[in-house]
Amino acid sequence: MRVLNRLNQFQRLWQPGQGAPQQVTVAELAERCFCSERHVRTLLRQAQDAGWLEWQAQSGRGKRGTLRFLTTPDTLRNQMMEQALREGQQHNALELAQLAPVELRALLHPFLGGQWQNNTPTLRIPYYRPLDPLHPGFLPGRAEQHLVGQIFSGLTRFSLDSARPVGDLAHHWEASDDGLHWHFYIRSTLHWHNGDAVETAQLQQRLMMLLTLPRMRELFASVKAIEITHAQCLTFTLHHPDYWLPWRLASYCSLLAHPDHPELGTGPFKLKIFEPELVRLESHARYHLSHPLLQAIEYWITPQLFIKDMGSSCRHPIEIAIGKPEEQDQLRLVSNSISLGFCYLALRQSERLTPAQAQRVIALIHRTTLLQTLPLDENLITPCDELLPGWPIPQWAEDEQVALPTALTLVYHLPVELHTMAEQLRQALAARGCQLTVIFHDAKTWDGCLALASADLMMGDRLIGETPEYTLEQWMRCDPLWLNVLTHPQYAHLQATLDAVQRQRDDVSRATALLGVVSNLMESATLTPLFNYHYRVSAPPGVNGIRLTPRGWFDFTEAWLPASSGEEAGR
């Protein structure tokens, strides 16, 4: 980036005197800028032409000239950044921003949120971390899970307005009376993001590729074959009935990319840029459902905005905070909810931890003030008293007659709030004569966690998607947690029970049966939820159509900006 190099060189010229006039030779300036004398003369001429400084040279080799500065590096950087933002040069702006973490919030605020950029309605969202690659199958982060739902489509999809999956790439489906043959009828007007028509064979090929992934094979263990029985029909043949199949195909992990170009999908937005500092989506003109009302969505990866003492973080609540600092009181809370997802504690019962001791640990958590006194940000979490709405947790009193083990081991993974929870639990157990060894697995899942096989206690986070009951079934079927928490006979029984549940045709019967499975895990002191998160979306007047999804985001296809927002932004 040439402009950044010029700014860096100007900083080197300015730094020794902090902007005061300098008597200096060309040779000294060249040494300061790590370049030749000829090149530094070019730099001085360019900076003087740009109005940054004045240079009065003295004739004769080694003579000292006079260097006067007409601006400061901070002012210059801010001007450059503002120009880059107004011209839509996001990469240049973000690169310049790395030099100014303190001023970054004030600089970026006028350009975040809803803007009409060159007559294009664009929504920019500041985000606190780089996004993980959007590879096929399971993804740990809820931002990534949400993004794949905006870029890719499945045979079916979840809708906020329906308790059951609805059509997506398939406009309709039907199952045979015995539940072993499922026919999905594919729309005839589908197009990939590059404009090519979608072929049914491509969807079959991508589905078969997904089934080569180990955890996806577990999810679709009932699938025997996927065949093209008509030019616009895919038929699933099953080993045994699975009435969760439309739900499995609507899950984010089952969305379908092009078999040869995994970045191409058929969703409402196409992926235009995916880089550590910037992710940009643009609307897909040939999308087969309702077209997005926004032309572009941008994630600006700006960790500096979320440094402590520099404002709120979007690690859990989603906050679109835009406008100048003095205008922040105009922000309005447009949507909020308590997450259905939860952080949990799982307990491996063994000779080291009996069922009665496990019950005492759970009672210690839920029947004392431990959860209520976690030193976390206000309004971030709320303690659980049920796993899902209507699924209460057992109410045990702490039985002090049950002696706790002298030592236990806890392993936990992200989110960061579990750091605090682990320390609180360690102190509480220590006060009761139990030494807790704490091991942190620095990831969002249990993948690659060697300590999982031997730990007594495990803490993690369970995201709950659009259909809570199905999400729990998927969790218990595919997460490596259960292979380690349960004995082999217990794990085999769990999977056999899940197989029996999926054979039930009626939705209510499946949900009720699944409640029985989860209730047994809680009653046996194998599982207890800890706390839920508060999800919030705040936006200024003019950003409309925002409705929270169960993952704490909002459907980008529904958001819109009135023309008046563009007129105000341009003034």
Side-chain angles (χ1 to χ4, degrees):
M1 179 183 175
R2 182 174 299 176
V3 67
L4 182 60
N5 291 334
R6 292 177 64 193
L7 178 60
N8 286 334
Q9 294 291 44
F10 181 79
Q11 176 83 32
R12 294 187 180 104
L13 295 172
W14 184 88
Q15 186 67 34
Q18 294 293 300
Q22 301 175 23
Q23 298 295 317
V24 64
T25 68
V26 171
E28 290 170 341
L29 293 177
E31 182 178 358
R32 192 182 299 175
C33 293
F34 307 104
C35 63
S36 67
E37 294 184 19
R38 179 178 179 181
H39 185 62
V40 85
R41 288 190 179 94
T42 301
L43 291 176
L44 291 169
R45 185 178 64 255
Q46 291 175 341
Q48 185 160 276
D49 291 344
W52 300 355
L53 54 77
E54 290 180 350
W55 168 246
Q56 294 179 344
Q58 295 291 332
S59 59
R61 185 172 181 82
K63 295 290 186 178
R64 294 185 177 274
T66 302
L67 183 62
R68 292 186 178 87
F69 295 91
L70 306 179
T71 186
T72 68
D74 286 345
T75 300
L76 188 57
R77 180 192 55 241
N78 295 355
Q79 292 172 350
M80 289 179 170
M81 187 171 173
E82 183 171 347
Q83 182 179 356
L85 289 168
R86 293 196 183 281
E87 293 176 357
Q89 299 171 354
Q90 298 93 334
H91 284 90
N92 288 358
L94 288 169
E95 190 167 355
L96 284 163
Q98 305 308 312
L99 302 177
V102 176
E103 297 88 355
L104 181 59
R105 176 176 291 275
L107 285 169
L108 289 186
H109 268 306
F111 301 93
L112 297 176
Q115 296 283 315
W116 282 76
Q117 184 84 35
N118 299 324
N119 294 322
T120 298
T122 301
L123 186 63
R124 296 189 178 116
I125 302 172
Y127 205 61
Y128 75 99
R129 63 170 175 84
L131 294 165
D132 295 327
L134 305 180
H135 58 70
F138 289 98
L139 293 167
R142 64 187 178 92
E144 288 82 359
Q145 294 178 13
H146 175 71
L147 269 177
V148 298
Q150 305 295 303
I151 298 170
F152 305 103
S153 306
L155 294 185
T156 59
R157 67 183 179 93
F158 293 120
S159 169
L160 292 176
D161 301 317
S162 174
R164 309 185 81 248
V166 299
D168 197 346
L169 297 177
H171 60 82
H172 181 71
W173 66 90
E174 60 186 10
S176 60
D177 291 340
D178 60 7
L180 295 178
H181 300 278
W182 291 71
H183 306 288
F184 291 85
Y185 300 100
I186 309 302
R187 299 178 191 270
S188 59
T189 56
L190 301 173
H191 290 85
W192 298 108
H193 288 154
N194 63 357
D196 292 347
V198 173
E199 300 174 6
T200 305
Q202 292 173 321
L203 303 181
Q204 180 205 33
Q205 184 180 352
R206 172 52 72 175
L207 282 165
M208 298 305 295
M209 292 168 68
L210 284 176
L211 294 185
T212 64
L213 304 174
R215 291 174 65 190
M216 294 298 290
R217 284 202 303 271
E218 295 174 1
L219 186 63
F220 289 95
S222 60
V223 174
K224 181 179 180 180
I226 305 174
E227 300 173 300
I228 301 174
T229 50
H230 181 273
Q232 301 299 135
C233 181
L234 281 174
T235 297
F236 287 68
T237 302
L238 309 184
H239 296 289
H240 46 78
D242 181 4
Y243 288 97
W244 287 120
L245 184 60
W247 280 260
R248 301 196 196 283
L249 293 169
S251 178
Y252 79 89
C253 59
S254 304
L255 304 184
L256 303 177
H258 191 290
D260 301 319
H261 305 285
E263 74 285 356
L264 292 180
T266 55
F269 288 91
K270 55 188 175 182
L271 189 61
K272 191 69 174 180
I273 300 172
F274 192 93
E275 296 180 356
E277 306 86 11
L278 177 69
V279 174
R280 179 179 170 90
L281 313 182
E282 295 182 356
S283 63
H284 178 28
R286 307 191 75 171
Y287 182 50
H288 52 280
L289 299 176
S290 297
H291 283 209
L293 302 172
L294 290 171
Q295 182 66 28
I297 305 287
E298 291 179 353
Y299 284 71
W300 286 25
I301 314 302
T302 50
Q304 307 95 312
L305 287 181
F306 305 102
I307 297 172
K308 192 174 181 180
D309 301 328
M310 287 186 64
S312 61
S313 166
C314 63
R315 283 173 171 81
H316 297 290
I318 307 303
E319 183 173 345
I320 304 173
I322 73 169
K324 298 177 181 178
E326 62 269 19
E327 297 172 345
Q328 291 303 292
D329 57 355
Q330 296 181 24
L331 286 178
R332 73 198 193 284
L333 184 67
V334 295
S335 193
N336 72 96
S337 67
I338 301 298
S339 68
L340 290 176
F342 49 83
C343 285
Y344 63 84
L345 174 70
L347 306 91
R348 183 206 314 278
Q349 293 167 29
S350 64
E351 294 180 355
R352 296 196 303 273
L353 186 68
T354 67
Q357 291 170 328
Q359 285 186 10
R360 185 179 177 190
V361 172
I362 292 175
L364 164 65
I365 292 171
H366 288 293
R367 305 295 286 177
T368 68
T369 59
L370 190 150
L371 284 174
Q372 285 77 11
T373 57
L374 287 178
L376 299 173
D377 293 343
E378 185 180 1
N379 296 325
L380 177 62
I381 65 169
T382 186
C384 293
D385 55 13
E386 52 187 4
L387 186 131
L388 288 178
W391 295 22
I393 62 178
Q395 297 297 314
W396 296 311
E398 185 183 357
D399 187 352
E400 297 183 0
Q401 300 302 313
V402 174
L404 290 172
T406 58
L408 291 170
T409 299
L410 165 71
V411 61
Y412 69 99
H413 63 62
L414 293 169
V416 294
E417 286 72 29
L418 291 182
H419 292 316
T420 304
M421 181 68 202
E423 178 57 23
Q424 293 286 91
L425 185 57
R426 187 191 66 78
Q427 294 179 16
L429 289 177
R432 290 159 175 79
C434 176
Q435 180 180 352
L436 184 66
T437 299
V438 175
I439 301 171
F440 173 53
H441 177 56
D442 190 7
K444 300 173 187 174
T445 69
W446 294 117
D447 293 343
C449 181
L450 300 179
L452 187 62
S454 57
D456 304 296
L457 309 174
M458 304 86 165
M459 288 196 308
D461 186 25
R462 180 67 257 159
L463 293 171
I464 296 294
E466 290 77 0
T467 306
E469 297 85 1
Y470 166 69
T471 306
L472 288 177
E473 196 273 353
Q474 177 177 293
W475 180 36
M476 291 184 288
R477 185 175 289 280
C478 300
D479 198 302
L481 170 75
W482 304 106
L483 269 171
N484 292 276
V485 170
L486 303 174
T487 65
H488 289 299
Q490 289 172 333
Y491 181 76
H493 177 72
L494 173 64
Q495 297 304 311
T497 303
L498 295 178
D499 287 344
V501 170
Q502 75 178 28
R503 288 184 171 93
Q504 300 191 37
R505 184 188 298 264
D506 180 67
D507 295 351
V508 175
S509 298
R510 284 200 312 281
T512 302
L514 194 64
L515 170 59
V517 176
V518 176
S519 295
N520 287 337
L521 290 171
M522 292 194 292
E523 291 289 347
S524 66
T526 301
L527 172 70
T528 189
L530 299 173
F531 50 80
N532 306 100
Y533 286 108
H534 291 258
Y535 287 154
R536 299 187 295 272
V537 174
S538 297
V543 180
N544 301 289
I546 293 178
R547 183 168 48 149
L548 266 178
T549 69
R551 297 184 191 278
W553 282 87
F554 59 95
D555 190 340
F556 292 160
T557 63
E558 297 181 357
W560 59 280
L561 307 173
S564 59
S565 293
E567 295 168 1
E568 293 170 3
R571 287 202 288 265

